[in-house]
């Protein structure tokens, strides 16, 4: 099915471990995003990529890095996980010229112990 | 920077009744887009309805409609004939249009309203 695919769906990390969340879209969208969702906080933008070859910080970028590997793929890396990074992470994509909103992946629930 | 406020953390409604979820936003932009997203327990984010600020007519999608008051910066969601499947978190979101400079095509979300539909 067309859409945004995120892997993994669940992950438990120990403090200090690193990991990469993968995201791929097959809708030929230009823009891709990483959000985190915490209880009572809504969704907050971590990083985004307006187009292939560009990435920019969002509201809460500290502790994260991203790579726009190609037009389809946008990964989020935690270099040294901390308990404060326990959250649900969403990847999304959009056609920047159409303003039709985002298509979201199904999310990754990450727990850092 | 844009802000989106949802003042009702939780709401409940009887099945088949009508409920309205509130959303206000703050922006200096004249053209922009507003959205309501639904997040059921499955965690999936689902677009419910979309409104373009330059259109005066309120958007409608089946049982879902909005009351868009541009001057008041208000964007409420009305759900008619509520169904058990409407139980979810609902997020209001704001987007600047493309070519509007820094922050364009980024969605800014409110903190959400948890809606429970009671049988």
């Amino acid at each position: 099915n067309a859409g945004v695919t995120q892997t993994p769906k669940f992950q438990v990390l120990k403090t200090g471990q690193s990991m990469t969340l993968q995201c791929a879209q097959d809708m030929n969208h230009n823009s891709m995003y990483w959000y985190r969702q915490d209880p009572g906080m809504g969704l907050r933008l971590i990083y985004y990529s307006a187009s292939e070859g560009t990435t920019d910080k969002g509201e809460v970028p500290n502790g994260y890095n991203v790579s726009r590997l190609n037009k389809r793929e946008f990964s989020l890396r935690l270099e040294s996980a901390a308990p404060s990074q326990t959250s649900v992470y969403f990847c999304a994509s959009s056609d920047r010229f159409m303003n039709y909103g985002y298509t979201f992946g199904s999310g990754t629930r990450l727990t850092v112990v | 920077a844009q802000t989106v406020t949802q003042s009702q953390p939780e709401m409940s409604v009887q099945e088949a009744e009508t409920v309205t979820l509130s959303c206000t936003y703050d922006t200096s932009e004249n053209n922009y887009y507003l959205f309501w997203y639904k997040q059921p327990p499955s965690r999936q984010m689902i677009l419910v309805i979309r409104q373009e600020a330059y259109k005066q007519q309120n958007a409608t999608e089946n049982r879902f409609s909005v009351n868009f008051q541009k001057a008041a910066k208000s964007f409420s969601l009305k759900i008619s004939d509520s169904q058990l499947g409407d139980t979810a978190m609902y997020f209001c979101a704001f987007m600047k249009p493309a070519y509007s400079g820094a922050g364009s095509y980024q969605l800014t979300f409110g903190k959400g309203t948890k809606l429970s539909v009671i049988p």
Side-chain angles (χ1 to χ4, degrees):
Chain A
N1 292 334
V4 178
T5 303
Q6 279 184 247
T7 56
K9 294 190 183 304
F10 300 92
Q11 184 71 48
V12 178
L13 287 179
K14 294 182 179 179
T15 298
Q17 286 185 319
S18 63
M19 79 161 295
T20 300
L21 279 63
Q22 307 286 351
C23 176
Q25 54 92 8
D26 58 5
M27 296 169 288
N28 202 36
H29 283 168
N30 290 299
S31 302
M32 298 185 73
Y33 313 83
W34 279 104
Y35 281 81
R36 61 177 288 172
Q37 182 181 15
D38 302 292
M41 297 297 293
L43 280 78
R44 294 180 293 170
L45 183 64
I46 305 171
Y47 270 93
Y48 68 100
S49 172
S51 60
E52 185 179 359
T54 69
T55 61
D56 286 285
K57 296 178 180 180
E59 180 183 355
V60 289
N62 291 344
Y64 306 95
N65 285 300
V66 291
S67 296
R68 184 74 182 266
L69 304 171
N70 46 56
K71 191 171 185 178
R72 291 187 63 249
E73 299 174 286
F74 187 40
S75 62
L76 178 72
R77 182 162 179 83
L78 287 70
E79 290 290 352
S80 179
S84 60
Q85 294 178 304
T86 293
S87 188
V88 177
Y89 291 85
F90 285 96
C91 177
S93 69
S94 71
D95 185 328
R96 61 185 283 192
F97 301 111
M98 299 300 290
N99 294 301
Y100 285 153
Y102 294 179
T103 300
F104 283 87
S106 57
T108 297
R109 180 174 292 280
L110 175 66
T111 303
V112 183
V113 298
Chain B
Q2 285 66 229
T3 59
V4 178
T5 302
Q6 294 179 250
S7 58
Q8 305 149 315
E10 293 192 38
M11 296 187 72
S12 61
V13 62
Q14 291 291 136
E15 195 175 5
E17 296 296 310
T18 296
V19 64
T20 298
L21 281 59
S22 301
C23 173
T24 58
Y25 57 93
D26 186 24
T27 183
S28 57
E29 302 288 335
N30 187 47
N31 293 322
Y32 48 87
Y33 299 83
L34 295 164
F35 305 85
W36 279 99
Y37 279 87
K38 169 185 177 181
Q39 187 181 43
S42 67
R43 200 170 70 197
Q44 183 68 45
M45 294 289 287
I46 302 165
L47 178 63
V48 175
I49 201 163
R50 169 180 176 267
Q51 176 78 42
E52 298 161 1
Y54 63 87
K55 289 187 177 180
Q56 293 188 350
Q57 185 174 4
N58 290 325
T60 299
E61 290 287 342
N62 300 314
R63 298 183 295 108
F64 299 88
S65 61
V66 298
N67 182 5
F68 173 50
Q69 302 290 328
K70 189 174 183 180
K73 297 181 181 176
S74 172
F75 183 60
S76 60
L77 175 70
K78 185 172 80 172
I79 306 174
S80 304
D81 185 26
S82 296
Q83 300 175 0
L84 296 178
D86 295 334
T87 292
M89 283 289 290
Y90 287 83
F91 292 97
C92 179
F94 173 100
M95 178 188 279
K96 291 168 62 175
Y99 306 114
S100 60
S104 58
Y105 38 79
Q106 292 178 34
L107 268 179
T108 299
F109 287 88
K111 294 183 178 181
T113 296
K114 183 178 181 180
L115 177 67
S116 299
V117 179
I118 303 167

